[in-house]
Amino acid sequence: MSNILFTNARLIDPEAGTVERGALLVEGGRIVAQGHEIGVPDHVEVVDCGGKCLAPGIADIGVKVGEPGERHKESYKSAGQAAAAGGVTTIVTRPDTNPAIDTPEALEFVTRRAQADTPVNVLPMAALTKGRQGREMTEIGFLLDAGAVAFTDCDHVVANTKVFSRALTYAKSCGALVIAHPQEPGLSEGAAATSGKFAALYGLPAVSPMAERMGLDRDIALLEMTGARYHADQITTARALPALERAKRNGLDITAGTSIHHLTLNELDVSGYRTFFKVKPPLRSEDDRQAVIEAVRTGLIDTISSMHTPQDEESKRLPFEEAASGAVALETLLPAALRLYHAGQLDLPTLFRAMALNPARRLGLEAGRLSAGAPADLVLFDPDVPFVLDRFTLKSKSQNTPFDGQRMQGRVLATYVAGKAVYRRP
Amino acid sequence: MSFAHRHLLGIEQLSPADITAILDLAETYVDLNRQSAKHSDVLSGLTQINMFFENSTRTQASFELAGKRLGADVMNMSMQASSIKKGETLIDTAMTLNAMHPDLLVVRHPHSGAVDLLAQKVNCAVLNAGDGRHEHPTQALLDALTIRRAKGRLHRLNIAICGDIAHSRVARSNLILLGKMENRIRLIGPPTLVPGQFAEFGAEVYDDMREGLKDVDVVMMLRLQKERMDGGFIPSEREYYHRYGLDREKLGLAKADAIVMHPGPMNRGVEIDGTLADDINRSVIQEQVEMGVAVRMAAMELLARNLRGAA
């Protein structure tokens, strides 16, 4: 493992909340020193950052890889390359594969595939219930031993409250983190858009944003009962925020994330029935988007994820209602997030707090920081360089990005995992 | 007069001048259709394919007749029976048909936006014959022509649209068209079928039919789309008829010369009283059917002119 001295960098330190010119010394895969001036020790490679930004690598909770079942949509190899090119140094994979990752054996398969093919860290999540059916809990203890970092049925809500409360109770006894999709399934079933003027005009079946609050309210009540460790995968509406705020104030072990698409796009982007903008939950109103940005700024929403969901052309080239949900985002997460920086809404330490520090903390990882002792998972990027995204240049096997043809600003120059360069912009 | 559209996908894309142009041309076809020799050759040599992914008798017959009277070669394809059952996607079906070089494609599909999607993939002119809950432009145009002939104008009228607005593409297209022509629109129905968001389109929303019908010039009833309902929007048909069915007593609150419309097919005794529907002094329901053929002839002629211009 090489030793590197990064000089002349803008160091984005989400822990300290600072952006400072300086240098960073990496030895043995870990950060050993950060400072304004660091003398060049022997036997180190010096990387002159040229005044560009150096930040902790992104830890992305909720990445879908198509293995097993849909390898043609995304393999561990392609997902790893996309992650590296996007400055994502840790991908936390979803168990909503086919079949679901709901046994230790299936989890071992994922771990093996990931180790063989992926240049970035892969941490697998496991299903909370068998087959994500919401009936019986999985072997949470064995799955933890096998390396599961969290338990989630992804976009399947465990509708049976008794089943969910027992799973939370059991997970709590194992110290496991449960990640849920807060949504009232009775209201959201069949919906392709958020109810409002737009959905009414386009004649799309729609769900009220209230469904998210109702789902969150239920889950919070169950947390009061069980004391479990809980993370809401995506909070996307203004109405859910007061409930989240109260739950945190009351000391429940709750955190929440949101997706990059809900932070940067709104329901009007779907106009013309563009299925690449169909995500789950559906894109929201501009008022909701602004409220969610503000919640990330204040820290009420802890994490930002790509919710990377590869879909092939066939599953998207359908009438809007029939088309599959989801968008790829590993490579566009950082440039899209930088839109919020360039718009003056979120500064760089806040963005990396939500994309690197907080997700790592929630999973109990040492990464996500620029402090001595942390793993040298780093992203070097130029926040200002403009480009127009061509989706066919993406490294994912699927190119279903809503940002195709859009002007973006900010590009990854290099990505390091444990001090080793896994990506360098050609 | 030019009609600057390649397709007729919705009313939303049309200007008031476009709408007037279609209606004016349709008037000439109303006259033609009432003669014994009803034939014209403005579409001769052109191929019209009617692709219906959803059951329809009336609209399909109307489009077929319109095409035949204008001299087109018309083919009907019932898509429920064919390729989708074999797993072919909408776009593949469209590409296959496109390779047969049709000139006019008339499409109905159960999903909103499906006709727009299909129109992006073919070279011919596409007419939307109804997509999901989205639009049904020729229905709104024929309704507009009917109103204009009965009332002598198509602006500054008080028009009530009653019933299942939420699931109705007819309501959406009419709301857009009548709004563009500067009429006052009231939407009447139970709140489960008339979501409050429709107020944002500049319509007034009423859940009390008696209040909503006061002094209106036009009462447009909608079919209670039973097949569209997931269940539980209304307690029962009889309660619906009691509160929202159009009968003489409720119609008495509208203007004395108010006309009654219905896009068909009707559920007599559910949304409308049967004898009222048949009353030729108040109901223009049969005239709507007649105008439907004329409006579709006009729309196809205007699109065909562009096709020939491009050739």
Side-chain angles (χ1 to χ4, degrees):
Chain A
M1 210 161 296
S2 60
N3 300 332
I4 307 175
L5 178 65
F6 293 94
T7 62
N8 193 20
R10 270 172 84 193
L11 298 172
I12 316 295
D13 187 337
E15 222 174 0
T18 54
V19 180
E20 281 178 9
R21 285 258 168 181
L24 192 79
L25 180 62
V26 170
E27 282 177 4
R30 290 190 175 264
I31 297 166
V32 293
Q34 184 204 136
H36 291 289
E37 286 297 328
I38 296 175
V40 184
D42 294 339
H43 310 298
V44 301
E45 179 194 344
V46 176
V47 174
D48 183 345
C49 299
K52 305 303 183 205
C53 295
L54 187 65
I58 295 167
D60 191 359
I61 299 179
V63 172
K64 169 80 180 276
V65 179
E67 294 186 54
E70 292 177 309
R71 196 163 156 188
H72 68 287
K73 292 186 178 179
E74 193 82 288
S75 66
Y76 272 96
K77 187 172 183 181
S78 61
Q81 286 168 346
V88 177
T89 50
T90 299
I91 58 177
V92 182
T93 56
R94 302 209 307 252
D96 55 345
T97 45
N98 185 19
I101 309 302
D102 58 359
T103 62
E105 291 77 11
L107 195 81
E108 275 159 21
F109 165 82
V110 166
T111 312
R112 203 166 57 242
R113 292 287 305 129
Q115 275 168 356
D117 269 344
T118 317
V120 301
N121 305 310
V122 177
L123 299 174
M125 297 193 284
L128 182 67
T129 68
K130 288 174 189 163
R132 301 194 300 131
Q133 305 268 327
R135 290 197 205 99
E136 304 160 65
M137 70 179 88
T138 52
E139 294 170 314
I140 294 174
F142 280 160
L143 283 160
L144 276 174
D145 293 344
V149 295
F151 293 81
T152 179
D153 280 358
C154 302
D155 61 349
H156 286 189
V157 177
V158 182
N160 185 322
T161 307
K162 189 167 263 179
V163 171
F164 194 44
S165 72
R166 282 183 186 147
L168 286 168
T169 304
Y170 193 88
K172 151 103 174 151
S173 75
C174 304
L177 176 68
V178 173
I179 299 184
H181 184 68
Q183 199 70 217
E184 163 50 46
L187 281 180
S188 63
E189 191 188 353
T194 302
S195 62
K197 186 180 176 184
F198 175 79
L201 181 65
Y202 271 70
L204 291 171
V207 58
S208 165
M210 198 63 92
E212 181 173 292
R213 196 192 99 187
M214 291 170 70
L216 185 65
D217 276 340
R218 179 199 74 157
D219 289 1
I220 288 170
L222 291 174
L223 294 186
E224 284 186 31
M225 270 170 63
T226 61
R229 295 178 63 213
Y230 175 96
H231 178 77
D233 65 347
Q234 300 179 71
I235 294 296
T236 60
T237 62
R239 282 159 209 247
L241 295 171
L244 177 63
E245 200 274 328
R246 268 196 312 279
K248 284 191 163 185
R249 190 155 24 90
N250 291 342
L252 297 179
D253 192 352
I254 182 172
T255 51
T258 193
S259 93
I260 189 63
H261 298 119
H262 292 90
L263 283 173
T264 53
L265 305 169
N266 70 24
E267 59 186 350
L268 302 180
D269 285 304
V270 176
S271 67
Y273 298 102
R274 295 189 291 171
T275 57
F276 279 14
F277 290 81
K278 184 177 181 186
V279 293
K280 199 172 176 185
L283 292 174
R284 307 301 195 181
S285 70
E286 180 62 8
D287 288 347
D288 282 327
R289 186 179 82 90
Q290 292 297 337
V292 172
I293 293 171
E294 176 61 13
V296 171
R297 194 187 66 76
T298 63
L300 178 59
I301 287 180
D302 302 87
T303 66
I304 300 172
S305 295
S306 69
M307 295 310 288
H308 182 81
T309 306
Q311 298 288 3
D312 53 18
E313 303 284 306
E314 285 67 39
S315 47
K316 283 287 188 183
R317 286 177 47 169
L318 291 169
F320 197 82
E321 281 170 62
E322 290 184 319
S325 294
V328 291
L330 278 168
E331 276 167 90
T332 49
L333 174 57
L334 181 57
L338 288 170
R339 284 185 167 184
L340 302 168
Y341 162 69
H342 292 297
Q345 294 191 287
L346 298 176
D347 59 23
L348 292 172
T350 304
L351 282 174
F352 280 87
R353 181 182 71 198
M355 294 191 297
L357 178 65
N358 284 345
R361 266 194 185 152
R362 192 54 170 153
L363 298 170
L365 311 175
E366 296 173 284
R369 303 177 296 134
L370 286 188
S371 328
D377 295 349
L378 300 165
V379 53
L380 178 66
F381 67 98
D382 180 343
D384 298 317
V385 58
F387 67 102
V388 174
L389 184 80
D390 172 359
R391 71 189 180 104
F392 294 107
T393 63
L394 295 177
K395 297 191 187 313
S396 283
K397 280 194 177 181
S398 299
Q399 279 96 23
N400 54 309
T401 172
F403 296 110
D404 185 41
Q406 291 199 26
R407 289 156 198 266
M408 315 285 283
Q409 205 178 346
R411 272 201 144 152
V412 173
L413 301 173
T415 306
Y416 298 83
V417 173
K420 184 167 165 272
V422 293
Y423 172 79
R424 275 201 189 91
R425 185 159 175 72
Chain B
M1 195 275 320
S2 71
F3 183 73
H5 300 278
R6 203 177 133 203
H7 309 294
L8 179 62
L9 298 177
I11 299 295
E12 207 191 349
Q13 296 89 342
L14 302 183
S15 67
D18 291 330
I19 292 165
T20 305
I22 297 172
L23 299 186
D24 290 348
L25 183 60
E27 291 277 8
T28 68
Y29 285 120
V30 175
D31 297 338
L32 178 76
N33 287 339
R34 287 180 178 178
Q35 292 165 21
S36 55
K38 300 177 178 61
H39 204 76
S40 151
D41 58 3
V42 302
L43 296 187
S44 73
L46 299 183
T47 304
Q48 171 193 342
I49 300 182
N50 298 334
M51 270 172 98
F52 280 64
F53 292 89
E54 194 180 74
N55 260 331
S56 162
T57 315
R58 310 159 64 93
T59 306
Q60 187 171 335
S62 184
F63 267 110
E64 183 175 356
L65 207 51
K68 285 182 170 162
R69 285 192 181 158
L70 294 179
D73 298 314
V74 185
M75 184 171 94
N76 287 318
M77 296 184 67
S78 170
M79 302 307 297
Q80 291 153 309
S82 68
S83 46
I84 18 181
K85 291 273 191 286
K86 297 175 190 159
E88 190 175 63
T89 67
L90 177 64
I91 288 178
D92 285 338
T93 307
M95 304 289 269
T96 304
L97 278 179
N98 192 49
M100 300 179 197
H101 299 293
D103 302 288
L104 295 156
L105 204 53
V106 178
V107 186
R108 169 169 288 189
H109 196 280
H111 291 308
S112 303
V115 181
D116 297 56
L117 177 68
L118 195 145
Q120 292 165 20
K121 307 291 172 187
V122 296
N123 299 321
C124 58
V126 175
L127 290 101
N128 182 358
D131 63 321
R133 311 170 179 184
H134 179 218
E135 282 231 41
H136 191 353
T138 56
Q139 178 71 42
L141 288 163
L142 75 88
D143 288 340
L145 185 59
T146 309
I147 294 170
R148 197 172 80 169
R149 287 169 64 96
K151 291 286 156 195
R153 66 177 197 273
L154 189 58
H155 56 92
R156 294 195 181 186
L157 294 167
N158 286 317
I159 298 170
I161 306 176
C162 312
D164 182 2
I165 313 281
H167 300 95
S168 174
R169 54 193 171 219
V170 176
R172 250 172 213 82
S173 287
N174 264 311
L175 187 56
I176 299 168
L177 189 154
L178 296 169
K180 283 190 184 198
M181 305 312 278
E182 302 187 354
N183 297 282
R184 284 184 67 178
I185 301 156
R186 301 180 188 179
L187 302 176
I188 304 173
T192 45
L193 296 175
V194 188
Q197 292 112 23
F198 283 92
E200 291 183 46
F201 296 104
E204 296 168 52
V205 175
Y206 290 87
D207 53 22
D208 181 336
M209 192 173 192
R210 289 183 169 79
E211 204 182 310
L213 285 182
K214 264 179 205 147
D215 301 321
V216 298
D217 300 288
V218 176
V219 184
M220 202 179 267
M221 300 305 298
L222 295 174
R223 176 180 168 77
L224 185 64
Q225 305 220 16
K226 280 186 263 184
E227 73 272 20
R228 290 285 176 83
M229 298 212 174
D230 300 320
F233 287 87
I234 52 162
S236 69
E237 284 182 8
R238 62 181 189 176
E239 181 163 327
Y240 184 82
Y241 182 66
H242 176 70
R243 300 188 65 189
Y244 298 103
L246 188 67
D247 54 22
R248 286 193 189 276
E249 187 246 315
K250 293 196 195 89
L251 184 62
L253 295 160
K255 281 192 185 155
D257 62 349
I259 57 169
V260 174
M261 305 176 73
H262 194 297
M266 280 183 284
N267 298 305
R268 289 169 186 265
V270 178
E271 68 253 355
I272 190 164
D273 173 70
T275 58
L276 181 57
D278 297 333
D279 179 353
I280 54 165
N281 294 314
R282 302 308 294 271
S283 161
V284 293
I285 294 170
Q286 293 307 313
E287 178 148 345
Q288 284 175 272
V289 178
E290 184 189 355
M291 294 307 118
V293 180
V295 152
R296 287 168 182 129
M297 290 166 83
M300 287 198 287
E301 182 186 343
L302 289 171
L303 292 175
R305 277 186 202 167
N306 290 347
L307 287 177
R308 293 201 200 271

